[in-house]
Amino acid sequence: MRLDGLDQFGQQAHAMITSAKSREAFDISKESKEFTEPFGSSGLGSSCLLALRLVESGARFVTVTNGGWDTHRDNWDALSTRQLPPLDESLSALFAGLETRGLLDSTVVYVTGEFGRTPKINTERNGRDHYPRNMFMLMAGGGVKGGQVLGESDEKGTMPKNDGFSPDDVAASFYDSLGINHEQEYHTTTGRPVMIVRQGNVIPELFG
């Protein structure tokens, strides 16, 4: 029975990927030069353009990955020359493109990493190491109130200045923006309770 289920799932995935609608969405050459130019020539820019086309074609959830942020060495050069320019370019083009196509109000964009980086430079390698106590994320579109910064770090960037927001708070807010009850409890086949977000509250200021 389980093999039959996996086989059916595989068939659905194959049909989805090979459908005419999917092929059309994945063909970013269909876009005009005027529309694609702001996305730049980076791989991230192409991915953001593709994500926009997938959303426009009816995809309900799209993930874009962007590696290279593990800046244990040469932090400044890595960020200033490789990481930040394409990120700024691609995200601004994505937001502008979603707005142009009338999709920004119905699409939640969530940008985050795993954790922050040490506020103190590692002088041995001129880098910044893993740091879970302070980080940031970005949310926009889909009912999120733009043009604001919520929370702040202390003067040395070591901890949140006040109470701050937990990753669970952010997750709860993201699910809430999608219309998903983050407090919903599910049960495994053995009866073990599993919650989407176990500890977290929606950040009301995000949706003012």
Side-chain angles (χ1 to χ4, degrees):
M1 182 66 71
R2 288 186 178 182
L3 290 177
D4 290 341
L6 289 174
D7 187 53
Q8 182 181 8
F9 179 81
Q11 292 176 6
Q12 290 176 335
H14 182 268
M16 184 184 302
I17 293 172
T18 58
S19 69
K21 191 172 183 180
S22 291
R23 290 198 300 271
E24 177 74 16
F26 274 89
D27 189 358
I28 61 176
S29 68
K30 299 284 187 181
E31 298 288 353
S32 68
K33 181 180 179 181
E34 179 183 14
F35 189 78
T36 60
E37 199 167 46
F39 288 88
S41 58
S42 68
L44 178 59
S46 297
S47 295
C48 286
L49 176 58
L50 175 56
L52 187 154
R53 288 180 57 82
L54 289 170
V55 169
E56 190 174 34
S57 296
R60 302 292 299 275
F61 194 92
V62 181
T63 301
V64 175
T65 59
N66 180 35
W69 297 94
D70 212 15
T71 56
H72 295 283
R73 294 182 181 275
D74 300 321
N75 176 79
W76 174 256
D77 288 339
L79 294 181
S80 63
T81 63
R82 296 198 304 271
Q83 297 301 116
L84 293 177
L87 179 68
D88 289 344
E89 181 180 59
S90 303
L91 274 183
S92 61
L94 175 62
F95 292 139
L98 288 169
E99 179 69 28
T100 298
R101 297 284 169 86
L103 296 168
L104 187 58
D105 288 342
S106 59
T107 304
V108 182
V109 180
Y110 178 30
V111 183
T112 188
E114 299 171 274
F115 38 63
R117 311 298 297 186
T118 49
K120 185 177 180 180
I121 295 295
N122 183 327
T123 55
E124 181 182 347
R125 298 187 297 270
N126 195 29
R128 297 176 69 190
D129 301 318
H130 299 174
Y131 195 73
R133 298 177 184 86
N134 221 5
M135 63 173 292
F136 76 96
M137 45 73 61
L138 180 152
M139 281 183 68
V144 176
K145 182 181 179 181
Q148 61 174 341
V149 176
L150 302 179
E152 61 181 307
S153 63
D154 60 24
E155 60 182 11
K156 294 184 179 180
T158 58
M159 297 289 286
K161 184 176 181 179
N162 299 306
D163 292 337
F165 303 103
S166 71
D168 278 3
D169 291 336
V170 176
S173 301
F174 177 58
Y175 281 113
D176 186 72
S177 70
L178 299 178
I180 297 173
N181 179 11
H182 69 278
E183 296 179 328
Q184 177 69 44
E185 184 176 280
Y186 298 90
H187 293 86
T188 66
T189 54
T190 60
R192 182 178 180 179
V194 178
M195 296 179 67
I196 298 177
V197 179
R198 183 163 295 279
Q199 296 177 334
N201 299 293
V202 174
I203 304 170
E205 298 93 335
L206 271 175
F207 309 100

